[in-house]
Amino acid sequence: MVLEIKTKKRIYFIICYIMLVVLITTIFRQYTNQKIENQLMTSLEDLSQQNILLIQNRMGDKLKELSNLAKKLEQNEVCTCEEVYDDLEEFADVFEFKEMGIALLDGMAYMSGDKEEITKYDISDREYFQYSKNGKQYISKILRHVRDQSLINVYSVPIQDKQGEVAGVLFGIKEANDFIQSFKVPIFNGKGDTYLIDSNGDIMTGTLGNVMSGILNETDETTNLFERLNKYSGNQKATKTLSQLLKENKSGSIYMNDNGYQYANISPTNVNDWWLVTVAPKNVLQERVKEISYAIQILGGCIALGAIIILILIIRMQKKSEKYLQGIAYIDQFTNLYNKVYFEKKFLSNIKEVSGKQAALVIFNIRRFKMINEIYGEHIGNELLRSIASLLQESITSEKEMMMHGHADEFAALYFYDTKRELEERINEILEKIEIIECENNKIKLSMAVGIYEVQNLEYSFEKAYNYANIAKKDSKKSSGSSFSYYSKELRDIEINQKKLNDSIREGIKKKEFKAWFQPKFNAYTQKIIGAEALARWYKEDGTVLSPFHFIEFSEQAGLIQDIDQLIIEDVCIKMNEWKKQGLPYITVSVNLSRAYLNNVNSIYALKRILDKYEISSEYIQMEITESALVDSEEELSNIIDMLHLLGFKVLLDDFGVGYSSLISINNLNFDVLKIDKSFIDTIGTEKGEYITKYIIELGKKLGMDIIAEGVETEEEYIFLKNQKCDMIQGYYFSKPLEASKFEELLKESQIK
Ligand code: C2E
Ligand code: MG
Ligand code: MG
């Protein structure tokens, strides 16, 4: 589910990222297109201004020269055409006209070009004449010569008389071709055009081939720009702008369709009412754009590629950090196996994904791992765990199987199998491999307790399955050596019962249901009570009284024994005070000290505080420490015994003979009393048994200890022990453990005796 959300998020991110890259490149493209368009317009304008300067120079200068000549004629008071006619030819040469002419106000003109006969021509209807007659300088459009119909342009200026009145018109004729050629300047590699228009939009000349043929009357081609624009659709705006510019005598740009879309700059030339139109077809822009757009595309491509690389890097980094975090979250750093969190996460889904096979949750636990740690040290203990982890990992045979490291020496696996036999063979193989592990030159012998839960119900939670495998593991722990147990309902019932027992012991402790019974200890010679052993009994709410068999070992494992021991000591104190009140003889009472006390010095003080509370002197209390507790740590035990002595207690070594301690090590431990275990007393009557018992008594005495025998049931045993100088006797022969009131009676009786 989390993964799905993550993938969705990632897809959204990629889409947004791509959209952003596309948006940025589009905006960038549009921006550069706009820039290029502006640039083109500026260069059109520049071109146009350059050409206007040229026009002004060429044509304006010509008019000026002509005008100067006209003034000279005025100064010379030349007022008849005939008088200047002879000079016209010369003037034409000087001023580079094809011909020159002069006309009076009636429109009758003389021209220099007449070779044989001087002819008068009527130019009264010519536009240039009209203009100059009205006092203006003028350059005509392309016209046909009145004489020979050749194509010409005419530059004309007025001639004024002394009063400043126009008296005639001086004019120079140029071949139209000169005019046309001066505009044939190629722009934009010949793709652009320049042409002149007048304020009506009539095209005078220019580089427009087809229009020129119209001008030269070779075709019917329209020579008016407005008319041309009307021929094509979408020119409304262009027409409007054009007429506005012409009207307001301003320069400006239009985008028009004249046999193809084009950008045009319209600028006044200040020659006649002429305007220069400089045109660049749209494809010129496109070509420019194309070049730049290639560059942009390459740049865009690079950006996109860079963006994609960055995206891939981001995703890879994300995945890496995800993996790293997953590693931290799901991998046990100590063994490199999965941890319980990951195992739990995948447990049920992996089982669901494997069909046609049985699944088992198997817990592996190293027996007595604590001891291995103590013997070989923590460092080797850790190495050992790592070796076991890699051996266990080798047992994983398919993708969906998993191995995890749990707490301390616990591992768990999810296996798939076809038959139980197959599973067992697999587990046995692992157990064989783990039997002896070599670790830094130590060959360590190991055994494992293995609990197997065959997954039956996928409705169960992982916790439940793990708990079941754990129940099986606990069962397997009961046997020695490597072994495995299957979870079963019976085991579960035991577990449930144990849980119940735990709860009710806790409740019993709270309600002080644990009381002391007393088994008297007798002087072997006088047969008088010289003391007693307090033995715990559980007075349950339902009226039953339970012996230690039902709760001591369990309480030890459940960590409840110290509370019980304290309750018993308290009860002993209470009873001793009662006996004291009743004037009964003061006897020494021994209490059994669980091994849990031996690992915790402070807990001994808790016992002393109870004695202090009831004002019982510790010299009347003996502490019984069982021999099997000696295995743990002799040094610690020695400290505890010294401390007990310091607090005034006597210390008794209980169950001597069942453990494996030697008398030598016991000598170091300063016990006051040695209690021979019932198992030795039972051997009395056999030669060997009697020999050993005799030997223990002698040696114990030599080591300075008083000797007590427990579990004495027969007269024969008693006589033998007495003869061997055993000091005290405890056992059914004299008395079973008694509840406090009965023991009290016994004490009273013994007083009477
Ligand atoms: P233990 O300290 O060795 O106590 C002697 C056990 O032997 C007692 O069993 C007692 O009833 C039994 N016994 C005594 N004489 C004879 C005999 O002649 N024949 C037979 N068959 N048994 C005899 P009990 O009371 O069932 O206690 C069992 C063990 O439980 C004790 O062994 C002691 O280790 C432990 N225990 C009892 N009370 C306490 C306690 O308050 N605290 C702790 N930590 N352990 C206790
Ligand atoms: Mg005892
Ligand atoms: Mg005992």
Side-chain angles (χ1 to χ4, degrees), residues 173-191:
I173 298 169
K174 274 196 168 261
E175 272 182 29
N177 203 30
D178 283 357
F179 188 55
I180 294 167
Q181 287 309 321
S182 64
F183 276 89
K184 286 248 162 112
V185 191
I187 59 166
F188 299 114
N189 295 332
K191 286 173 187 147

Side-chain angles (χ1 to χ4, degrees), residues 510-641:
K510 259 193 217 157
K511 293 180 179 163
K512 297 195 174 179
E513 289 175 357
F514 295 90
K515 303 279 178 205
W517 275 28
F518 297 87
Q519 184 174 33
K521 294 174 183 173
F522 292 86
N523 182 308
Y525 310 109
T526 62
Q527 295 190 15
K528 281 205 164 178
I529 298 173
I530 47 147
E533 179 178 5
L535 293 158
R537 294 293 181 270
W538 184 8
Y539 284 75
K540 292 195 74 179
E541 245 175 355
D542 59 7
T544 52
V545 181
L546 297 181
S547 68
F549 168 77
H550 299 282
F551 60 89
I552 290 288
E553 200 185 328
F554 183 84
S555 302
E556 261 176 359
Q557 284 163 8
L560 300 167
I561 192 70
Q562 295 197 31
D563 295 330
I564 295 177
D565 282 356
Q566 286 182 18
L567 286 179
I568 297 302
I569 287 203
E570 190 175 17
D571 196 34
V572 167
C573 291
I574 293 167
K575 299 288 156 36
M576 282 176 87
N577 274 343
E578 277 176 19
W579 300 333
K580 196 174 161 186
K581 268 189 212 159
Q582 293 174 31
L584 291 170
Y586 225 66
I587 52 157
T588 304
V589 176
S590 62
V591 290
N592 292 283
L593 201 61
S594 94
R595 73 189 70 207
Y597 274 96
L598 309 178
N599 300 325
N600 185 356
V601 179
N602 287 335
S603 59
I604 303 285
Y605 290 109
L607 300 180
K608 176 74 170 85
R609 277 196 295 276
I610 297 173
L611 261 70
D612 292 345
K613 184 179 164 194
Y614 292 94
E615 294 174 347
I616 300 287
S617 167
S618 46
E619 67 183 288
Y620 294 105
I621 301 291
Q622 254 178 23
M623 294 296 181
E624 294 201 8
I625 298 172
T626 180
E627 194 201 354
S628 56
L630 266 63
V631 189
D632 287 355
S633 164
E634 206 178 288
E635 200 186 317
E636 250 177 66
L637 194 64
S638 167
N639 290 337
I640 299 277
I641 294 170

Side-chain angles (χ1 to χ4, degrees), residues 258-507:
D258 182 13
N259 199 17
Y261 280 97
Q262 41 194 232
Y263 295 93
N265 176 274
I266 323 284
S267 295
T269 59
N270 296 328
V271 175
N272 293 354
D273 60 341
W274 291 355
W275 302 72
L276 184 69
V277 182
T278 315
V279 172
K282 194 186 173 187
N283 56 25
V284 168
L285 175 79
Q286 275 171 341
E287 257 166 42
R288 282 200 173 193
V289 171
K290 224 191 248 170
E291 280 168 26
I292 295 169
S293 124
Y294 281 144
I296 292 169
Q297 270 168 15
I298 291 167
L299 192 74
C302 287
I303 292 171
L305 195 75
I308 288 167
I309 290 170
I310 290 169
L311 187 71
I312 291 169
L313 285 178
I314 290 172
I315 291 172
R316 277 181 73 176
M317 265 162 64
Q318 256 186 353
K319 281 205 166 160
K320 239 185 174 179
S321 67
E322 234 169 61
K323 252 194 174 171
Y324 173 71
L325 289 175
Q326 269 184 4
I328 288 180
Y330 299 137
I331 304 289
D332 173 63
Q333 304 299 310
F334 184 66
T335 57
N336 260 345
L337 296 180
Y338 289 125
N339 60 18
K340 202 171 177 181
V341 178
Y342 183 81
F343 198 82
E344 176 170 1
K345 201 171 134 89
K346 290 279 171 184
F347 183 71
L348 289 176
S349 59
N350 278 15
I351 295 174
K352 279 175 196 161
E353 281 165 34
V354 175
S355 56
K357 289 221 175 227
Q358 276 263 69
L361 172 57
V362 182
I363 293 183
F364 296 88
N365 191 279
I366 306 166
R367 283 179 198 278
R368 294 157 75 89
F369 182 68
K370 200 174 157 232
M371 216 174 86
I372 293 168
N373 256 344
E374 273 170 17
I375 295 171
Y376 296 98
E378 215 168 282
H379 165 66
I380 296 223
N382 288 346
E383 278 306 303
L384 192 79
L385 282 180
R386 285 195 194 103
S387 306
I388 292 172
S390 56
L391 280 173
L392 287 171
Q393 181 59 35
E394 282 171 19
S395 74
I396 296 300
T397 54
S398 74
E399 200 201 331
K400 296 290 165 194
E401 289 191 342
M402 296 185 286
M403 182 64 70
M404 63 153 259
H405 178 224
H407 179 65
D409 57 326
E410 189 156 291
F411 298 87
L414 170 65
Y415 290 136
F416 295 100
Y417 57 99
D418 290 316
T419 61
K420 239 179 173 175
R421 201 173 142 185
E422 183 197 320
L423 175 69
E424 284 171 16
E425 274 172 6
R426 205 161 154 187
I427 291 171
N428 279 327
E429 203 178 303
I430 298 165
L431 294 180
E432 260 173 47
K433 273 190 196 165
I434 290 176
E435 214 169 12
I436 290 180
I437 294 206
E438 226 180 297
C439 213
E440 296 190 5
N441 297 329
N442 297 293
K443 280 191 172 170
I444 301 170
K445 203 168 162 11
L446 287 176
S447 60
M448 286 245 175
V450 181
I452 307 166
Y453 168 62
E454 292 182 283
V455 183
Q456 311 285 0
N457 192 341
L458 279 177
E459 299 297 301
Y460 287 172
S461 67
F462 167 76
E463 244 355 281
K464 206 166 194 169
Y466 203 84
N467 188 33
Y468 287 169
N470 224 355
I471 291 172
K473 179 203 81 187
K474 278 187 201 162
D475 182 65
S476 157
K477 268 199 162 173
K478 284 181 196 156
S479 40
S480 58
S482 281
S483 62
F484 56 80
S485 291
Y486 283 95
Y487 164 80
S488 65
K489 208 177 160 315
E490 291 71 37
L491 279 182
R492 207 188 105 199
D493 292 343
I494 293 171
E495 180 80 9
I496 290 170
N497 285 338
Q498 289 196 335
K499 173 93 183 53
K500 277 188 192 159
L501 181 61
N502 190 308
D503 291 345
S504 66
I505 290 176
R506 280 176 196 277
E507 200 59 27

Side-chain angles (χ1 to χ4, degrees), residues 215-269:
I215 292 169
L216 302 175
N217 291 331
E218 290 162 3
T219 58
D220 295 338
E221 187 67 37
T222 338
T223 57
N224 183 283
L225 186 54
F226 286 107
E227 278 174 27
R228 290 180 67 84
L229 293 186
N230 283 342
K231 266 170 49 179
Y232 302 99
S233 60
N235 273 334
Q236 289 86 342
K237 193 179 168 199
T239 315
K240 205 176 155 194
T241 319
L242 180 64
S243 61
Q244 214 167 348
L245 290 173
L246 297 181
K247 207 169 132 193
E248 291 171 9
N249 198 29
K250 270 188 190 167
S251 66
S253 300
I254 56 170
Y255 179 62
M256 61 187 190
N257 183 3
D258 182 13
N259 199 17
Y261 280 97
Q262 41 194 232
Y263 295 93
N265 176 274
I266 323 284
S267 295
T269 59

Side-chain angles (χ1 to χ4, degrees), residues 92-105:
D93 276 351
V94 175
F95 295 111
E96 291 173 343
F97 285 113
K98 184 187 171 202
E99 285 175 46
M100 281 195 68
I102 189 161
L104 290 180
L105 292 177

Side-chain angles (χ1 to χ4, degrees), residues 533 592 624 626 654-656 675-678 710:
E533 179 178 5
N592 292 283
E624 294 201 8
T626 180
D654 199 358
D655 304 330
F656 180 73
K675 190 187 260 191
I676 307 171
D677 191 67
K678 183 177 182 299
E710 75 175 333

